[in-house]
Amino acid sequence: MIECKRLQQLFIYNPTTGILVRRISRGGMASGEEVGCKSKNGALIVRVDYEIHYVHRVVFAMHYGRWPNSQIDHINGIPNDNRIENLREATASQNSSNRRKSTRNTTGYKGVSFSKKTGKWRASICVKRKLIEIGAFSTPEEAHEAYAKEAKRLHGEFARLE
């Protein structure tokens, strides 16, 4: 793993904007040039001394003087927003708790689905890869309210409700 001191030699980080720029010209890239190419998941990646790293992990290491022990969660859910106040260490479970609702969701509410069998709105939540049924409700709003309460209880600060 690259030492944090080396990162300070190579890059300048602006905590207000979350942008990382090259300190020195290298590999066809000019000094002062913003670094990072978008990966498949929307997060930025950068090559550092022949190794590829996520920019948010580089930023974390530069800011705290150590590499993160686990995953880095983007609090606002925007994978290329690398302002330090938007980054926090998280377990895989905590990081997945902070995901937005699925693009396949048709109810408009995270954690809510409609049961054709019962004609009710179901609220459910996933915890440690297990689906927990919260209950059945008359309206999607009631189901989402139950989901939100359970998400806050189970996921705390990592709960994302939308």
Side-chain angles (χ1 to χ4, degrees), residues 1 8 15 18 20 47 50 57 59 61 63 74-75 90 95 97 132-133 138-139 148 151 155:
M1 186 64 60
Q8 299 288 349
L20 192 65
R47 185 178 301 272
Y50 307 104
R57 294 182 68 79
V59 164
H63 183 79
H74 289 82
I75 297 167
N95 205 355
S97 298
I132 298 171
E133 295 292 333
S138 300
T139 68
H155 302 310

Side-chain angles (χ1 to χ4, degrees), residues 27-44:
M29 303 216 28
S31 64
E33 192 172 338
E34 185 177 342
V35 302
C37 298
K38 274 195 179 177
S39 64
K40 289 179 184 175
N41 66 8
L44 299 174

Side-chain angles (χ1 to χ4, degrees), residues 55-95:
V55 169
H56 55 266
R57 294 182 68 79
V58 170
V59 164
F60 184 95
M62 288 177 68
H63 183 79
Y64 292 106
R66 66 174 178 82
W67 285 94
N69 296 319
S70 52
Q71 295 183 9
I72 297 295
D73 177 45
H74 289 82
I75 297 167
N76 66 6
I78 301 171
N80 62 354
D81 181 353
N82 294 316
R83 293 172 296 126
I84 198 65
E85 73 231 21
N86 187 46
L87 305 178
R88 61 184 169 190
E89 278 192 277
T91 64
S93 178
Q94 289 169 327
N95 205 355

Side-chain angles (χ1 to χ4, degrees), residues 8-21:
Q8 299 288 349
Q9 293 170 345
L10 295 173
F11 304 111
I12 299 169
Y13 172 65
N14 182 330
T16 306
T17 63
I19 293 174
L20 192 65
V21 298

Side-chain angles (χ1 to χ4, degrees), residues 71-77 88-102 110-111 124-130 132 144 147-148 150-162:
Q71 295 183 9
I72 297 295
D73 177 45
H74 289 82
I75 297 167
N76 66 6
R88 61 184 169 190
E89 278 192 277
T91 64
S93 178
Q94 289 169 327
N95 205 355
S96 67
S97 298
N98 192 26
R99 274 196 298 224
R100 295 181 189 277
K101 74 176 180 280
S102 169
K110 186 175 180 182
S124 59
I125 192 166
C126 201
V127 179
K128 295 182 181 175
R129 296 185 182 181
K130 290 188 179 179
I132 298 171
H144 182 66
Y147 167 82
E150 198 66 6
K152 288 175 188 173
R153 184 181 77 77
L154 293 169
H155 302 310
E157 67 178 291
F158 290 88
R160 178 177 291 275
L161 308 179
E162 77 279 350

Side-chain angles (χ1 to χ4, degrees), residues 65 79 115:
S115 171

